[in-house]
Amino acid sequence: MTEQAAEKPIRIASILFERLDQIDLTGPFEVFSRLTNCSYDIVAKEIRPMKDANGLTITPNQSFAECQDVDVLHIPGGPGQEDLMEDEETLSFIRDKASRATFVFSVCTGALVCGAAGLLRGRKATTHWGFKTLLPHFGAISVDSRVVIDGNLISCAGVTAGIDGALMVACLVRGQAAAEQIQLLMEYAPDPPFNCGAPDVARADLVQSAREALEPLLSRRLATARRCAEKLGIVS
Amino acid sequence: MTEQAAEKPIRIASILFERLDQIDLTGPFEVFSRLTNCSYDIVAKEIRPMKDANGLTITPNQSFAECQDVDVLHIPGGPGQEDLMEDEETLSFIRDKASRATFVFSVCTGALVCGAAGLLRGRKATTHWGFKTLLPHFGAISVDSRVVIDGNLISCAGVTAGIDGALMVACLVRGQAAAEQIQLLMEYAPDPPFNCGAPDVARADLVQSAREALEPLLSRRLATARRCAEKLGIVS
């Protein structure tokens, strides 16, 4: 990437909504807000304080109506994403912005919102490990990777995977040196205390109890995914 | 830990302030807010929206005056921490709560606020790699580790280290199985795109340019640290 390309002004928008999983937004925020020559907004249907799934209050700075075209459209997930999957105002906003964005970037179950907007048809994608079985309902090809890049679609695994994904996006829009600088400044040399952050490495009993904890949410999301698939005319 | 001890009700408070580095708070929030039988509050001098160093608006849910004694007091860092280092209202609040807390948990330059409150005298501690030289001004023994535990003081390295530290705190207050369950649910199996998240692994030119970027902040914090040391009667 030439120095000029690296410094082309860019726009990024992260979507905020009620009962999102806050770190799906705040993890990537930490990366995107450090990019130079970048206009970065937190957008929502309305500008008012919103509570994440566990009660953190975050306020957007821009409404959907005010949002210009963006280079990167970031869609977080979390329990509240289910409402968005059948909310035409949000789906239209995402479809419209995505059609002219350089990258669409989903974190965790934000991928399911992209799916409901019809953006996953025939695309490789990932989401939180507990909800990957839902991806085919949107015509997506589920991939076992923490960050999946398919054309202009970048999707991440669950929750904290958004930090890894956002650093990849930073690299794509600003070059590797810029992304590395951000990674060093945010001291991102993770050292998890346990080796259990994904179902392929965690103990079977731990995975089992996590699946049980997620089951009610999975059932509801499956029903919603089926309605979305029908509307999109996708046979999975 | 017995099952009964694991389920003793606990209280956690995270301190919010203007120009903090938001992920110093939101990283641990993701962990603490998932603990069972836990009353968790975001506390600040006043209940009003506050902007992080890069513009994210977060609103606390509790004022210092309303805050009861807590089991875990969490102190994030970020550029705004410098003002706290000479703010007697905040330092008194921290000293008072810390004196009866089971754990004091600092993230990034939150350690320097703990230092200004006199909590680091003779204690092993860490902070963001760019500011570790300031620790001796508070009588602390600087340790090269991502998470440092010395008695009831748990301090983390910079920014994203708060996630690793919060999982350690979760383990200490609720046992390893509970912490592991949270780690799996938040899919914390990090896979950074580059190996450059700490100065001992990053390229020398990258570390040099990061040091240059941090220099103005380091100079200001050094002057503040010296004034704090004088007030605390610490000769470093």
Side-chain angles (χ1 to χ4, degrees), chain B residues 65-217:
Chain B
E66 293 164 338
C67 184
Q68 297 182 31
D69 284 349
V70 292
D71 297 276
V72 178
L73 179 67
H74 164 209
I75 300 136
Q81 66 78 30
E82 206 193 321
D83 293 337
L84 304 192
M85 288 163 78
E86 297 181 293
D87 178 66
E88 272 310 320
E89 185 183 343
T90 302
L91 297 180
S92 296
F93 174 80
I94 290 173
R95 265 190 295 258
D96 178 59
K97 295 301 172 201
S99 70
R100 292 180 300 278
T102 312
F103 296 107
V104 174
F105 172 56
S106 73
V107 177
C108 194
T109 51
L112 307 181
V113 183
C114 292
L119 303 180
L120 299 192
R121 285 171 200 270
R123 309 291 287 269
K124 290 181 194 138
T126 193
T127 186
H128 189 287
W129 64 265
F131 303 98
K132 291 181 76 170
T133 53
L134 301 180
L135 287 172
H137 291 278
F138 304 103
I141 302 142
S142 177
V143 173
D144 281 328
S145 183
R146 194 153 167 90
V147 180
V148 175
I149 305 178
D150 182 349
N152 76 338
L153 179 74
I154 299 161
S155 58
C156 308
V159 195
T160 53
I163 302 172
D164 299 316
L167 285 164
M168 279 303 303
V169 172
C171 178
L172 289 167
V173 298
R174 277 288 183 257
Q176 185 170 333
E180 286 179 330
Q181 184 77 294
I182 291 172
Q183 189 178 327
L184 176 58
L185 287 170
M186 57 193 269
E187 205 159 348
Y188 189 50
D191 185 17
F194 313 108
N195 183 26
C196 65
D200 55 334
V201 294
R203 292 192 319 274
D205 65 307
L206 199 65
V207 177
Q208 180 59 28
S209 63
R211 282 202 194 280
E212 284 163 15
L214 295 176
E215 215 296 313
L217 198 52

Side-chain angles (χ1 to χ4, degrees), chain A residues 21-27 29-30 33-34 42 49 51-52 54-59 61 127-130 146 157-161 163-164 167-168 171 176-177 179-181 183-199 201-203 206-207 209-210 213-214, chain B residues 21-27 29-30 33-34 42 49 51-52 54-59 61 127-130 146 157-161 163-164 167-168 171 176-177 179-181 183-199 201-203 206-207 209-210 213-214:
Chain A
D21 193 329
Q22 60 87 21
I23 209 167
D24 292 11
L25 185 145
T26 57
F29 180 96
E30 194 66 23
S33 66
R34 290 168 184 256
I42 308 298
K51 274 198 199 302
D52 108 303
N54 291 309
L56 188 71
T57 303
I58 303 176
T59 306
N61 70 293
T127 186
H128 189 288
W129 64 264
R146 194 155 168 89
V159 197
T160 53
I163 301 173
D164 299 317
L167 285 165
M168 280 302 304
C171 178
Q176 186 170 333
E180 286 179 328
Q181 183 77 293
Q183 189 178 328
L184 176 58
L185 286 169
M186 57 194 268
E187 204 159 348
Y188 189 49
D191 184 17
F194 313 108
N195 183 28
C196 65
V201 294
R203 291 192 320 273
L206 200 65
V207 177
S209 63
L214 296 175
Chain B
D21 195 327
Q22 60 87 21
I23 209 167
D24 292 11
L25 185 144
T26 59
F29 180 94
E30 193 66 22
S33 66
R34 290 167 184 257
I42 307 299
K51 274 198 200 300
D52 108 303
N54 291 310
L56 187 71
T57 303
I58 303 175
T59 306
N61 70 292
T127 186
H128 189 287
W129 64 265
R146 194 153 167 90
V159 195
T160 53
I163 302 172
D164 299 316
L167 285 164
M168 279 303 303
C171 178
Q176 185 170 333
E180 286 179 330
Q181 184 77 294
Q183 189 178 327
L184 176 58
L185 287 170
M186 57 193 269
E187 205 159 348
Y188 189 50
D191 185 17
F194 313 108
N195 183 26
C196 65
V201 294
R203 292 192 319 274
L206 199 65
V207 177
S209 63
L214 295 176

Side-chain angles (χ1 to χ4, degrees), chain A residues 9-88:
Chain A
I10 53 167
R11 283 188 183 275
I12 302 181
S14 296
I15 295 180
L16 178 65
F17 52 91
E18 291 284 353
R19 295 193 304 121
L20 88 161
D21 193 329
Q22 60 87 21
I23 209 167
D24 292 11
L25 185 145
T26 57
F29 180 96
E30 194 66 23
V31 176
F32 296 154
S33 66
R34 290 168 184 256
L35 287 169
T36 54
N37 207 3
C38 173
S39 167
Y40 179 34
D41 296 293
I42 308 298
V43 300
K45 277 172 129 174
E46 306 160 58
I47 300 177
R48 62 171 174 79
M50 298 190 183
K51 274 198 199 302
D52 108 303
N54 291 309
L56 188 71
T57 303
I58 303 176
T59 306
N61 70 293
Q62 194 173 68
S63 68
F64 283 177
E66 294 164 338
C67 184
Q68 298 182 30
D69 284 349
V70 292
D71 297 276
V72 179
L73 180 66
H74 164 209
I75 299 135
Q81 67 78 31
E82 205 192 322
D83 294 337
L84 304 191
M85 288 164 78
E86 298 181 291
D87 178 68
E88 273 309 320

